[in-house]
Amino acid sequence: VRVYCDCHTEQEADPDACADEAERVVEELGYDALKFDLDVPSGFEKDRANRHLRPGEVRHKAEIVEKVTERVKDRADVAFDCHWTFSANSAQRLAAAIEDYDVWWLEDPVPPENLEVQEQVTKSTTTPITVGENRYRVTEERRLIENQAVDIIAPDLPKVGGMRETRKIADVANQYYIPVAMHNVSSPIATMASAHVGTAIPNSLAVEYHSYELGWWSDLVEETVIEDGYIEIPEKPGLGLTLDMDTVEEHMVAGETLFDEA
């Protein structure tokens, strides 16, 4: 199962720094699929609460897209995340400004509640639009799909209802020839669960990996989960992973207790 790496840098608003990190993740970590944030400060903001993008902000975000995609070229697919930040008009202008670049998808450009606005934005551009992590169960995801308000659906497996519910969503999406890129900000356990679903559906695009800067993420289980940007599905019973309980205990949230060994 293919994995896309959600990338970050301390200079997240610097297009050249983003391009440098993209190249490092491709060359050193072996990923051929990446994602960067676009809801980053540009220096042109007057009021970020009103969801409106000024022309300078659009140019700045388009420059990030240009620098990153030009740097990696065909070595990697690159998506960009907006985290539900912009108005319909601003989202449309941003999507139009990056249509000439090799954008894998533009994610969550508008807030998730209004389906009609989402549909309007998606149908206004040739830039692929991805949505879905803040919709719940197949009933809500189905509305995005059937209204063709999304080009790629991105359910979050632990939030959306689990493995079976994610499979149901993928089945509906497949009727509309829509691929599934599973949102995932979880531990190795949920990551592997998403990968298992990915092997069971015909329209799996990729599974997100959000913790490449978290040194102990891979220590939570005894097995290797991601290797060279892909997940090999184990043949062991269940998910095929074994928790390292010492690591789990070491990183538990204050006030929580470890599972009973029985």
Side-chain angles (χ1 to χ4, degrees):
V1 175
R2 193 181 189 194
V3 176
Y4 75 88
C5 185
D6 195 315
C7 303
H8 299 275
T9 171
E10 291 183 359
Q11 298 172 291
E12 61 179 359
D14 183 341
D16 289 311
C18 292
D20 290 343
E21 181 65 359
E23 186 167 43
R24 185 187 76 84
V25 172
V26 171
E27 292 297 322
E28 297 182 14
L29 304 185
Y31 288 91
D32 63 3
L34 318 173
K35 186 168 77 175
F36 283 84
D37 292 344
L38 281 187
D39 57 323
V40 295
S42 66
F44 295 99
E45 293 87 0
K46 294 296 183 183
D47 181 0
R48 298 188 72 184
N50 61 28
R51 303 191 183 282
H52 179 72
L53 285 174
R54 300 176 66 225
E57 294 177 83
V58 174
R59 289 195 300 270
H60 170 258
K61 296 178 193 314
E63 185 180 2
I64 293 177
V65 172
E66 178 185 17
K67 289 290 181 69
V68 172
T69 55
E70 285 297 309
R71 182 72 66 85
V72 301
K73 296 189 182 297
D74 292 333
R75 291 178 294 166
D77 293 311
V78 190
F80 297 89
D81 199 344
C82 300
H83 295 106
W84 323 279
T85 305
F86 309 124
S87 68
N89 175 267
S90 291
Q92 287 172 290
R93 289 188 291 113
L94 174 60
I98 62 176
E99 285 182 343
D100 291 338
Y101 305 115
D102 294 327
V103 175
W104 203 16
W105 72 69
L106 184 67
E107 185 169 331
D108 293 326
V110 295
E113 294 85 4
N114 192 311
L115 178 65
E116 288 74 19
V117 172
Q118 180 62 61
E119 181 179 351
Q120 172 190 341
V121 170
T122 299
K123 291 181 177 179
S124 72
T125 179
T126 59
T127 298
I129 303 296
T130 297
V131 181
E133 69 180 86
N134 275 353
R135 293 279 178 167
Y136 302 95
R137 307 299 294 268
V138 67
T139 305
E140 287 196 2
E141 302 278 359
R142 176 181 60 81
R143 294 180 62 219
L144 282 170
I145 295 165
E146 291 183 346
N147 286 55
Q148 297 181 56
V150 62
D151 296 306
I152 300 166
I153 196 78
D156 184 294
L157 184 145
K159 290 166 58 179
V160 83
M163 296 174 73
R164 181 173 295 183
E165 196 76 7
T166 304
R167 171 62 192 263
K168 290 178 181 178
I169 293 163
D171 286 341
V172 175
N174 195 45
Q175 302 306 307
Y176 289 80
Y177 320 125
I178 291 175
V180 177
M182 279 173 269
H183 180 264
N184 174 60
V185 292
S186 303
S187 74
I189 301 298
T191 300
M192 183 61 79
S194 295
H196 273 280
V197 172
T199 64
I201 61 177
N203 48 341
S204 176
L205 191 61
V207 172
E208 183 175 16
Y209 174 49
H210 202 275
S211 303
Y212 77 118
E213 295 174 305
L214 190 64
W216 49 270
W217 186 91
S218 60
D219 297 335
L220 288 168
V221 294
E222 296 178 4
E223 298 80 6
T224 298
V225 176
I226 302 172
E227 190 167 3
D228 295 328
Y230 285 78
I231 297 174
E232 182 176 352
I233 304 302
E235 297 182 1
K236 296 179 181 180
L239 295 179
L241 296 179
T242 308
L243 276 172
D244 184 314
M245 301 308 289
D246 290 337
T247 304
V248 172
E249 185 174 26
E250 181 182 352
H251 295 284
M252 283 181 2
V253 175
E256 295 292 330
T257 56
L258 194 61
F259 297 117
D260 189 321
E261 292 185 2

